[in-house]
Amino acid sequence: MRLFGTLKKLTLHLIALVNVVVIILMVITAYAGHVSPEEHKYAEVVALAFPFPAAVNLLFLLFWLFVRVRNTLIPIAGMLVCAGALRDYCPIHPFSSSPPEDAIKVLSYNVCNFSGPNNNKSQMMDVAEYICEQDADIVCLQETSPLNKSGRENVDLRLRRTYPYCRRFREKVLEEIAVYSKHPIRWAIQAPYMTRRNNIMVCSIDLGDDTLLVFNAHLQSIRLNPEDRKEIKEFVKRKGKNIDESSIIEKVATTAQRRAAQADHLVRGIKKRTHTSTILCGDFNSSPNCYPHHVISQWLDDCYTATATGPGFTLKQSGIFVRIDNIFCSHDLKPYKCQIDTKNTFSDHYPVLCWVKKRAKP
């Protein structure tokens, strides 16, 4: 009996040690997103691994609850150290308040050129109709380049009936972005930092007694080719297919560097206009615990993190589930009921909706 007791104690000590190692990995991955990939190339690759040690640590918590309650302090301590990253990745607000009637409704949506990943041109008008049915005050769209001229004109004509004001930028880019609004757009500019597939724009919207700055961003994507996506999907499904990890990791690291530079440029623009109420929408192509989200969150509030519950995946493709589409707002605005419409399957992205209202002055 004494030998059995000794073995049991030793086994529990070893399991506790493994739990500590998992927490160390969780801390490293949780805070890797605070480091710019421009300084350390693989920082975002490390940050993307955060859900795995976090999930394992949760399993340890459940294990200790049934085996040795006092050891639950180990995984709980890990959760406290990584509380910020856990909140960003999976916020919990079960009693989020409903938006007031005079709140501004915002929609952000990567429409995948209105025809979706399968190039279904027949759905273009359905996408436009969906956007109009949301009856938002402000709509920020990414990848708004219909594949033919007539499709562009028909979509724009339908959207303009609901949203009479529009600004978009298509010059020198393959995938344009656009802002549609029910309120007058005073001016709009395109950020100088752009690529042929990525873009940032900012416009000033007249709300009568107030002015609202709206940033619309489409940051650098990972650009995985179809074969990469297929390999990842097979790997996730555990079908035993080999995957060229080094090639994919290198793509993730390289594009993360470009995305970090774009995020820094975006934040510089936001910092210059801190005196004006601001909304930032877009496809950021990075998860909530990565560098772009970290630097933006220092100046703006993530509406989903502030009001929603759950991980809120906005991209579900090739076995990859992530939240890469977001709506942010300045601190003088109060967000309400940010939500992701997972029933909409027109695009490879889900739409993000939120309401905001100016906070009362103290």
Short mmCIF file of all heavy atoms in Angstrom, two decimals, residues 301 329-335 357-362:
data_model
loop_
_atom_site.label_atom_id
_atom_site.label_comp_id
_atom_site.label_asym_id
_atom_site.label_seq_id
_atom_site.Cartn_x
_atom_site.Cartn_y
_atom_site.Cartn_z
N ASP A 301 -11.01 50.21 -29.00
CA ASP A 301 -11.61 49.05 -28.32
C ASP A 301 -12.14 48.06 -29.35
O ASP A 301 -12.80 48.44 -30.32
CB ASP A 301 -12.78 49.51 -27.44
CG ASP A 301 -12.33 50.40 -26.30
OD1 ASP A 301 -11.21 50.19 -25.79
OD2 ASP A 301 -13.10 51.32 -25.92
N CYS A 329 -13.65 50.57 -32.11
CA CYS A 329 -14.16 51.94 -31.96
C CYS A 329 -13.32 52.69 -30.94
O CYS A 329 -12.68 52.09 -30.07
CB CYS A 329 -15.63 51.94 -31.56
SG CYS A 329 -15.98 51.30 -29.91
N SER A 330 -13.31 54.00 -31.04
CA SER A 330 -12.56 54.84 -30.10
C SER A 330 -13.22 54.79 -28.73
O SER A 330 -14.39 54.41 -28.58
CB SER A 330 -12.47 56.27 -30.62
OG SER A 330 -13.75 56.78 -30.96
N HIS A 331 -12.47 55.21 -27.72
CA HIS A 331 -12.93 55.07 -26.34
C HIS A 331 -14.16 55.92 -26.03
O HIS A 331 -14.86 55.66 -25.05
CB HIS A 331 -11.80 55.41 -25.37
CG HIS A 331 -10.56 54.61 -25.59
ND1 HIS A 331 -10.58 53.25 -25.84
CD2 HIS A 331 -9.24 54.96 -25.59
CE1 HIS A 331 -9.34 52.80 -25.98
NE2 HIS A 331 -8.52 53.82 -25.85
N ASP A 332 -14.41 56.96 -26.82
CA ASP A 332 -15.56 57.82 -26.55
C ASP A 332 -16.86 57.22 -27.10
O ASP A 332 -17.93 57.79 -26.92
CB ASP A 332 -15.34 59.22 -27.13
CG ASP A 332 -15.24 59.19 -28.65
OD1 ASP A 332 -14.68 58.22 -29.19
OD2 ASP A 332 -15.73 60.14 -29.30
N LEU A 333 -16.75 56.08 -27.77
CA LEU A 333 -17.93 55.38 -28.28
C LEU A 333 -18.17 54.11 -27.47
O LEU A 333 -17.22 53.40 -27.12
CB LEU A 333 -17.73 55.01 -29.75
CG LEU A 333 -17.57 56.17 -30.74
CD1 LEU A 333 -17.26 55.64 -32.14
CD2 LEU A 333 -18.82 57.05 -30.78
N LYS A 334 -19.41 53.81 -27.22
CA LYS A 334 -19.76 52.59 -26.47
C LYS A 334 -20.31 51.57 -27.46
O LYS A 334 -21.30 51.83 -28.16
CB LYS A 334 -20.80 52.89 -25.40
CG LYS A 334 -21.23 51.65 -24.60
CD LYS A 334 -22.18 52.01 -23.49
CE LYS A 334 -22.70 50.75 -22.77
NZ LYS A 334 -21.62 49.96 -22.17
N PRO A 335 -19.68 50.40 -27.55
CA PRO A 335 -20.18 49.36 -28.47
C PRO A 335 -21.29 48.53 -27.85
O PRO A 335 -21.33 48.35 -26.63
CB PRO A 335 -18.94 48.51 -28.73
CG PRO A 335 -18.15 48.64 -27.46
CD PRO A 335 -18.41 50.01 -26.91
N LYS A 357 -22.53 53.98 -29.89
CA LYS A 357 -23.15 55.25 -29.53
C LYS A 357 -22.15 56.07 -28.72
O LYS A 357 -21.39 55.51 -27.93
CB LYS A 357 -24.43 55.04 -28.71
CG LYS A 357 -25.13 56.34 -28.36
CD LYS A 357 -26.36 56.11 -27.50
CE LYS A 357 -26.99 57.45 -27.12
NZ LYS A 357 -28.19 57.27 -26.25
N LYS A 358 -22.18 57.36 -28.92
CA LYS A 358 -21.27 58.24 -28.19
C LYS A 358 -21.57 58.17 -26.70
O LYS A 358 -22.72 58.24 -26.26
CB LYS A 358 -21.45 59.68 -28.67
CG LYS A 358 -20.35 60.62 -28.22
CD LYS A 358 -19.61 61.15 -29.41
CE LYS A 358 -18.54 62.14 -28.98
NZ LYS A 358 -17.86 62.75 -30.12
N ARG A 359 -20.53 58.03 -25.91
CA ARG A 359 -20.69 57.98 -24.47
C ARG A 359 -21.03 59.37 -23.93
O ARG A 359 -20.57 60.38 -24.47
CB ARG A 359 -19.40 57.49 -23.78
CG ARG A 359 -19.02 56.06 -24.15
CD ARG A 359 -17.74 55.68 -23.44
NE ARG A 359 -17.25 54.38 -23.87
CZ ARG A 359 -17.58 53.22 -23.34
NH1 ARG A 359 -18.42 53.20 -22.31
NH2 ARG A 359 -17.06 52.07 -23.78
N ALA A 360 -21.80 59.40 -22.88
CA ALA A 360 -22.13 60.68 -22.24
C ALA A 360 -20.87 61.24 -21.59
O ALA A 360 -20.07 60.53 -20.98
CB ALA A 360 -23.21 60.47 -21.19
N LYS A 361 -20.68 62.55 -21.73
CA LYS A 361 -19.51 63.19 -21.14
C LYS A 361 -19.65 63.22 -19.63
O LYS A 361 -20.73 63.52 -19.10
CB LYS A 361 -19.36 64.60 -21.70
CG LYS A 361 -19.00 64.64 -23.16
CD LYS A 361 -18.77 66.06 -23.62
CE LYS A 361 -18.39 66.10 -25.10
NZ LYS A 361 -18.15 67.48 -25.58
N PRO A 362 -18.57 62.92 -18.91
CA PRO A 362 -18.62 62.92 -17.44
C PRO A 362 -18.84 64.32 -16.88
O PRO A 362 -18.53 65.29 -17.49
CB PRO A 362 -17.24 62.36 -17.04
CG PRO A 362 -16.35 62.65 -18.20
CD PRO A 362 -17.24 62.57 -19.42
#
